[in-house]
Structures are given as structure tokens and as C-alpha cells.
Amino acid sequence: MPIAPHPSSSAVSADERGTEPHTPAPRRRGPGRARPSAPPGDVPTAPRRGGVELVASLLGFTVITIDVSAVNIALPAIRDSLSGGMAGLQWVVDAYTLMFAALMLSAGALADRAGARRAYAWGVALFTVASLGCALAPGIGVLVAARVAQGGAAAVVMPASLALIRQAYDDARARARAIALWTVGGSVAMAAGPVLGGLLTDWAGWRAVFLLNLPVGAVILGLLARVPRSPRRPAALDAAGQLTAVLALAGLAFAGIEGGHLGWTSVPVLAAAALAVGSGYAFVVVESRHRRPMVPLAMLRDRRVAVALAVGFAVNAAFYGGIFLLGLYYQQLRGMSAVTAGLMFVPMSAVVTGTNLVSPRLAERIGRRAVIVVGQLVFAGAMVALLPLAAHTPLWLVLILLLPLSVGGAMAVPALTALLMDAVPGERAGTASGLLNSLRQTGGALAVALFGSLLAGPGGAFSLDGMRVGLLAVGALLLATTAVSRLCLPRG
């Protein structure tokens, strides 16, 4: 994820609830004082185990993050190899993102029930096997199916990795430093993903992008063998809510992706749209009647919560939609190699990381509402700034035009995440941040569906006119959420 996500697992919510058992850290004694007997290795192994768990967690978060940006750069090579067309490329991206978004809603509860180590091992193992399936895919259909499995596994890996860190560090300051490293690792991975994807695609082919996950997965599973078992906690699983959420998102994605290719009034597209609406309604009904729903609808009545979720959706739609179109613009319209296209994203990723770090301090000075509003305005301006892009736009100008895109979302997301965390009680922190990340991923997936439908010109050529329509649509969405933020969020 280019803009580092807020910790969205039970690791956060359990800590705030105080439901996870705490084991006091052993105290060091002076050389002249007797120390009670203890199980062999208790004191010296605590730091080592924490380090192992942090490395395992960081590797998992890194690999699922790299997979997103690296695959975007490999899309033209995948199209040439498997002849999937623009719709096929959209499904390669969205199959992963949609499953990630949908299952994120209940993945934290799964980590609670199974225990962090076991859930993390399951997620990593499935992600590794699915990556092998991607690498060996003989056609676009098999690749998309394997990407579905990857996305589902990634939804388990992300919250379980944080829960694993929570297990390793009882000390709040040490835990905060570990989570900070975890977050920075995600930002670095997103910056490195396009370059790594370009290098692997040019030197060894697009399949190498997925094969890289195999040794990393093996290393993680080896590290987990040295991690103690995690405690299990009772957590309700909302199966009906989860199923209706998956069906609603799948229907939306199908209608958005295939509408541009089959026709918006075709029977399959209308059926998918009806499935999305019906499943969305069923989701609301199920959640309103469930004793412990995964999305408490009452929480959405708070304006701060509703606005934060809407802004998160819009910002990610703009960011992921922009990344998708730029990767194709560089390679299909400008004829860049995969490596060169990947390198074009490095300055942008560096600006995103730097802005993420500055945003909280800026919010302290001028207020969160101001930062959220300004960030969205900058982002909307970025969409307009990209409108003049053409086949022969100087590269130095392209990089300059990308600066507002780098700054806008990275400025808004930390502030809206903090706003959301303040708006919900502590026991709902994991639920709220999981919902935010789910809607952010959904925004990105639907933007890819929109841009892909518009980018395919006659004969499959890259359509500049279609790109500009998409940019204007996302810019209008950002202006709408900016106005809502200005009107509905409190000052300060």
C-alpha cells in the first residue's frame, strides 16, 4: 500500500481492550543480588524472540506490499504473454485487491480465534502457494484465480503480522518502535516494488515477479518455527456479513470492468450490478441483526467516522487509479522498458514517504480538518495537472506534474486515520481501522475498473481521451469529498 495503512488488526483492538494476557517482563538484578530460579533461557531469549517475530512480520508485510506495485509494472508483459486484453489486466489487479478489501473486515477476528502465529503461518503458506500458481499460470483465467487466492491470503497476513508484534512486545515503547519499523517497511516496499518489478520483468520475465515470493515465504515459515505459540481469544465470525460483502464487491468490480468491454446495458453487466445492489442491501440487513456484527452500523452515524471512510475511499481511488494509468502510459504510449517505467515511480514514492512523516506534525499546528481538506484539494489539482500528458511530454515535466499526486493523499491519510481513531471507542479501534483499509482498497479496485474501461481505445491502443475522462471523474469525486469534509468535520 503506497500510503502506509493504519494498524487494522486485533493487535490494536485487543491491546486497547486489555483482553490479551500480559506477562510481566523479567527484571534484571544487580550482580550482588540473588535471583529466583526461572525456566532455562527465559531472560536471554525474550529479546531474541521479539526480534524474530518482528523480522517475520516485516517480511510478510513487505512481500504483500511489493506484490501490488511490482505487478502493475509487469502488466504489459502479462498482456503480451497471455493475450488477456485490457479487461484481463484489470482483473489481474482487482482480483487481488478486492479479496484483500473484502476479507480484511473479518481477518482480525480470524487471527484472534486461531492465534496470531497460526493465522500468520496459514496466510503466508497460502500466499506462497498462490504465488507459485500465478507464476505457472498458462492463461489469464488461471492467473486471475491465483490472484484471488493471493488477495485472500494477504488479508490474513496483514492483521496477523501486527498481532504477532503485539505478542512479542509487552513494553508499549518497544512495541511502538516495532510498529513504526513495520510501517516504514511497507513504505519502502511500495517504493521498491515498481523498480524490482521492472528489473525482474526485463531480465527474467513477468513470472519472476511471483516466483520471488517463494523463497521469502519459506524464510518466514522457517522463522515462525522459532516463535512461541500465540494465545487464542474468542472472537465472533460474521459469515453472512462476510459473504454478502464479497458478493457486493465482486458484482461492482465485474460491472465496472466488463461494462466498458461488453456494454453497460449487456445482460452480464446488468446482472452483476443487480448482484452488487442486492448483496449490499443484504449486508446492511445482516449487520443490523447480527449480535456482534463485523461492521457495527451505529458507528457509521458519527460524522467523523463516515467522512473519514468516504475520504479514504476517494483518496485511494485517485492514487491507485493514477498508478495504474501511469504504468500503462509509460510503457504503452511512451514505449519505455519495464525497468525505466519502474524508476519513474521512485521520486514519487520518496515524496509520499516524506509527506507521511510530516503530515501528523502539520495536523498538530493547523488542525486535522485543514490538513484533510488541503490534502484533497492538492490531490484534485493533481488530476487536473495530469490532463496535458501526451506521448511526447518531456519527462522532467511529467515528474513535476506528479508531485501534487504524491503529496495530496500522503498528507490527508494520516490525519483522517487519527481522526477516525479518536471518533471510536477503544474496543472498536481494530474494527474501525480495518473498515477504513477495506474501503481504501475498494476505492483503488473500482478506480482500476473505471480507468481500464476508459483507457482501451480502438484495437486495444492506449486512449488519451479515455485517460482524461477518468482523471476528471476522480478529480470530481475528490472535490465532492473535500466539500463534505469542510462542512461536516469539526474545527481543530
Side-chain angles (χ1 to χ4, degrees):
M1 289 153 265
I3 301 168
H6 187 277
S8 61
S9 74
S10 55
V12 176
S13 56
D15 185 35
E16 302 232 13
R17 291 193 306 264
T19 57
E20 182 168 353
H22 290 256
T23 303
R27 297 180 179 177
R28 297 185 180 274
R29 298 177 177 267
R33 300 174 65 181
R35 56 186 297 179
S37 59
D42 264 11
V43 174
T45 57
R48 177 185 63 79
R49 290 194 326 213
V52 169
E53 292 169 2
L54 175 58
V55 172
S57 300
L58 185 58
L59 281 175
F61 184 41
T62 298
V63 76
I64 66 174
T65 304
I66 284 180
D67 198 80
V68 176
S69 52
V71 170
N72 269 314
I73 295 299
L75 289 178
I78 292 173
R79 181 203 58 195
D80 295 340
S81 173
L82 302 182
S83 303
M86 181 61 74
L89 298 186
Q90 291 170 269
W91 278 118
V92 169
V93 176
D94 275 358
Y96 180 94
T97 307
L98 286 170
M99 285 303 292
F100 196 176
L103 297 185
M104 180 74 69
L105 295 172
S106 58
L110 176 62
D112 278 349
R113 289 172 66 95
R117 188 187 74 165
R118 178 176 294 182
Y120 191 52
W122 287 349
V124 169
L126 176 58
F127 188 86
T128 304
V129 172
S131 296
L132 179 61
C134 291
L136 300 178
I140 200 72
V142 176
L143 176 58
V144 169
R147 290 285 283 168
V148 169
Q150 267 195 320
V156 176
V157 166
M158 184 175 171
S161 67
L162 271 171
L164 208 60
I165 291 176
R166 175 62 186 88
Q167 170 185 311
Y169 297 93
D170 285 327
D171 179 72
R173 295 181 64 185
R175 184 168 62 250
R177 289 193 295 268
I179 291 177
L181 286 174
W182 181 88
T183 304
V184 171
S187 297
V188 172
M190 182 53 66
V195 180
L196 186 59
L199 288 171
L200 290 172
T201 301
D202 273 0
W203 292 352
W206 64 267
R207 297 179 191 274
V209 174
F210 298 106
L211 288 173
L212 180 65
N213 298 335
L214 273 60
V216 178
V219 169
I220 295 172
L221 293 174
L223 290 172
L224 289 177
R226 300 171 57 189
V227 173
R229 290 186 179 182
S230 305
R232 300 185 187 185
R233 294 187 295 271
L237 287 178
D238 184 359
Q242 183 63 84
L243 176 61
T244 52
V246 170
L247 290 176
L249 291 180
L252 273 176
F254 186 94
I257 291 174
E258 300 297 340
H261 305 283
L262 300 178
W264 296 104
T265 58
S266 64
V267 172
V269 171
L270 291 177
L275 175 65
V277 173
S279 298
Y281 177 77
F283 176 81
V284 173
V285 172
V286 166
E287 296 305 282
S288 65
R289 296 178 179 177
H290 199 282
R291 187 172 60 88
R292 296 184 64 185
M294 63 183 184
V295 179
L297 299 181
M299 185 174 66
L300 304 181
R301 298 191 187 106
D302 189 310
R303 288 185 177 183
R304 294 169 297 172
V305 173
V307 171
L309 296 177
V311 173
F313 177 94
V315 165
N316 258 41
F319 194 93
Y320 278 106
I323 295 297
F324 178 77
L325 76 85
L326 286 170
L328 297 177
Y329 164 79
Y330 288 142
Q331 296 180 75
Q332 290 192 2
L333 195 65
R334 303 199 64 127
M336 292 183 180
S337 68
V339 172
T340 305
L343 290 171
M344 290 292 291
F345 286 100
V346 172
M348 179 176 152
S349 299
V351 173
V352 167
T353 302
T355 307
N356 269 165
L357 298 175
V358 172
S359 174
R361 298 180 184 178
L362 188 61
E364 290 178 3
R365 290 194 174 189
I366 66 175
R368 289 173 182 164
R369 184 181 73 167
V371 170
I372 292 170
V373 168
V374 171
Q376 291 178 90
L377 286 175
V378 171
F379 220 157
M383 299 296 102
V384 176
L386 292 175
L387 291 176
L389 286 185
H392 303 292
T393 303
L395 289 181
W396 61 266
L397 181 56
V398 174
L399 292 174
I400 290 177
L401 293 177
L402 290 180
L403 288 178
L405 191 150
S406 308
V407 171
M411 179 185 297
V413 168
L416 71 89
T417 303
L419 176 78
L420 179 65
M421 291 300 100
D422 283 353
V424 298
E427 66 270 14
R428 293 296 188 191
T431 299
S433 52
L435 182 58
L436 173 62
N437 281 322
S438 179
L439 280 175
R440 288 176 58 194
Q441 295 294 327
T442 301
L446 295 182
V448 168
L450 170 67
F451 276 113
S453 298
L454 295 171
L455 287 178
F462 186 94
S463 170
L464 275 174
D465 289 339
M467 180 185 78
R468 289 163 183 155
V469 172
L471 290 170
L472 288 173
V474 176
L477 174 62
L478 284 168
L479 288 177
T481 54
T482 301
V484 171
S485 303
R486 179 70 178 79
L487 293 173
C488 297
L489 291 182
R491 293 177 178 270

